[in-house]
């Protein structure tokens, strides 16, 4: 079974579209798990109303406003499905989404921690580049090096997610999903491409995608961890140096000693301490000017 997980915050006006796409699935082997991140717009009342319709299995959990990454951590321990499919409140599923996932699972291998499928906008334009045969059973970073790119639909093994939680840092409410994908790849896990559109998306003006730069400034520890992991994951020295500088910059901005790099390139990371401090000053200057 698949757990379709939706984190939501004051998006009750969007949930009905996603709900109806779930009720129209050609395969019903899933549950819908909604984690409400402290909404004040009647989300709980809406969910209770559609639960009473008994069209699909719906479970609801409310938490204090803490961010999508905390909702994700909560959901993986509540999930009853073997596979975990994060579908945001401004997304909805194609009619055969769950069916395509179920069929693709028969072709996974032992190292595959996830299925990865296409995502498109409501007008039919693709949000990602197509897969090639060589991308099968590769990590996400390796797939990007082979020509993949953009935004994809990703369905992960629930058991592995319980072992690889998002970091929770007091005062920070966002953690990029790449932290999770990189960690799994560093541990030898791969993904299996599904060459079908699984998710349709409509970006919102108040969404995370529209606030990327502000997210960098408000969540420096999460980005420190992202760049720290990338130092070991990337293939070229140019990339490694770039991530070392960014790691030092966000480490300076976070004012925390958490996630200190101690890998094979520690000597190089230490060399870029001063450039990192200068990078942090640049970010802080841009914050004041915005």
């Amino acid at each position: 079974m698949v757990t379709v997980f939706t984190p939501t915050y004051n998006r009750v006006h969007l949930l009905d579209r996603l709900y109806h796409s779930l009720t129209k699935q050609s395969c019903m082997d899933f549950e819908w798990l909604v984690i409400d991140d402290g909404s004040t717009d009647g989300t709980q009342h809406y969910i209770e109303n559609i639960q009473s319709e008994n069209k699909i299995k719906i479970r609801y959990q409310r938490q204090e406003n803490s961010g999508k990454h905390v909702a994700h951590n909560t959901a993986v321990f509540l999930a009853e499905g073997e596979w975990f499919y994060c579908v945001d409140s401004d997304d909805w599923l194609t009619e055969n989404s769950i069916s395509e996932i179920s069929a693709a699972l028969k072709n996974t291998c032992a190292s595959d921690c996830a299925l990865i499928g296409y995502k498109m906008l409501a007008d039919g334009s693709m949000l990602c580049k197509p897969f090639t045969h060589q991308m099968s059973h590769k990590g996400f970073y390796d797939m990007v090096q082979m020509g993949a790119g953009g935004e994809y639909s990703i369905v992960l093994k629930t058991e592995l997610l319980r072992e690889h939680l998002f970091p929770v840092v007091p005062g920070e409410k966002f953690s990029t999903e790449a932290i999770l994908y990189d960690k799994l790849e560093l541990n030898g896990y791969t993904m299996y491409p599904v060459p079908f559109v699984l998710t349709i998306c409509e970006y919102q003006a108040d969404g995370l995608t529209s606030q990327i730069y502000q997210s960098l400034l408000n969540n420096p520890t999460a980005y420190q961890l992202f760049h720290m992991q990338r130092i070991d994951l990337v293939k070229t020295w140019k990339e490694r140096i770039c991530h070392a500088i960014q790691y030092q910059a966000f480490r300076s901005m976070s004012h925390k000693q958490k996630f200190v790099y101690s890998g094979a390139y520690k000597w190089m990371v230490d060399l870029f301490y001063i450039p990192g401090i200068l990078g942090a000053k640049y970010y802080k200057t841009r914050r004041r000017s915005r």
Side-chain angles (χ1 to χ4, degrees):
M1 184 175 74
V2 177
T3 292
V4 177
F5 154 61
T6 297
T8 187
Y9 175 67
N10 288 341
R11 292 283 188 84
V12 69
H13 60 289
L14 297 176
L15 291 174
D16 203 52
R17 181 173 58 189
L18 172 54
Y19 168 60
H20 284 294
S21 77
L22 292 169
T23 64
K24 295 175 182 176
Q25 290 299 299
S26 57
C27 172
M28 304 301 288
D29 190 20
F30 68 91
E31 63 169 351
W32 189 25
L33 176 58
V34 179
I35 305 296
D36 182 351
D37 193 31
S39 296
T40 58
D41 64 349
T43 292
Q44 182 170 352
H45 179 68
Y46 168 77
I47 295 295
E48 289 171 351
N49 281 341
I50 61 173
Q51 281 177 320
S52 66
E53 296 177 1
N54 290 318
K55 291 184 177 181
I56 59 173
K57 182 177 181 180
I58 304 172
R59 292 193 294 139
Y60 171 86
Q61 178 74 37
R62 182 180 172 85
Q63 68 176 28
E64 182 180 347
N65 183 251
S66 307
K68 178 180 176 179
H69 63 305
V70 176
H72 189 283
N73 288 351
T74 300
V76 297
F77 288 104
L78 294 174
E80 295 180 358
E82 182 183 356
W83 293 85
F84 190 88
Y85 183 9
C86 180
V87 181
D88 290 336
S89 54
D90 53 359
D91 295 350
W92 63 101
L93 303 189
T94 60
E95 193 169 303
N96 294 320
S97 183
I98 301 298
S99 178
E100 295 290 359
I101 291 168
S102 298
L105 289 174
K106 300 174 184 177
N107 299 315
T108 58
C109 69
S111 67
D112 289 330
C113 67
L115 302 177
I116 178 169
Y118 297 148
K119 196 170 186 178
M120 73 178 187
L121 292 172
D123 64 6
S125 56
M126 299 298 291
L127 284 168
C128 52
K129 295 180 180 178
F131 301 125
T132 64
H133 178 71
Q134 291 75 17
M135 294 178 188
S136 290
H137 314 300
K138 299 291 184 181
F140 185 69
Y141 172 81
D142 279 347
M143 293 174 68
V144 171
Q145 299 306 299
M146 294 177 180
E151 187 170 346
Y152 294 91
S153 305
I154 299 183
V155 186
L156 292 127
K157 279 187 177 179
T158 307
E159 182 180 359
L160 287 175
L161 292 177
R162 290 171 181 159
E163 299 170 3
H164 298 82
L165 298 173
F166 283 106
V168 178
V169 179
E172 297 190 14
K173 292 190 176 182
F174 177 75
S175 181
T176 173
E177 292 169 353
I179 288 176
L180 174 59
Y181 307 150
D182 289 353
K183 185 66 173 178
L184 289 166
E185 188 166 357
L186 284 166
N187 287 339
Y189 290 104
T190 57
M191 297 185 178
Y192 181 73
V194 182
F196 300 100
V197 175
L198 301 179
T199 315
I200 305 171
C201 176
E202 180 181 71
Y203 290 128
Q204 304 299 307
D206 63 342
L208 291 172
T209 304
S210 67
Q211 303 171 17
I212 291 176
Y213 186 78
Q214 196 60 40
S215 175
L216 293 172
L217 300 176
N218 293 341
N219 304 280
T221 310
Y223 285 98
Q224 174 191 342
L225 175 58
F226 165 72
H227 290 291
M228 187 184 82
Q229 291 184 164
R230 280 287 168 110
I231 292 167
D232 289 326
L233 184 61
V234 297
K235 310 299 184 186
T236 68
W237 280 103
K238 181 179 179 180
E239 290 178 288
R240 191 166 289 120
I241 289 170
C242 178
H243 287 294
I245 294 172
Q246 295 276 47
Y247 160 76
Q248 292 287 19
F250 285 107
R251 184 184 178 195
S252 173
M253 291 167 64
S254 72
H255 303 295
K256 298 178 178 68
Q257 294 304 308
K258 199 172 185 180
F259 309 126
V260 176
Y261 181 81
S262 59
Y265 304 99
K266 187 177 184 304
W267 61 271
M268 184 206 70
V269 171
D270 290 343
L271 284 176
F272 290 99
Y273 174 76
I274 297 300
I277 295 297
L278 295 175
K281 289 183 178 180
Y282 168 76
Y283 281 123
K284 291 174 183 176
T285 300
R286 285 199 64 183
R287 179 199 291 270
R288 288 193 294 269
S289 67
R290 292 175 73 90

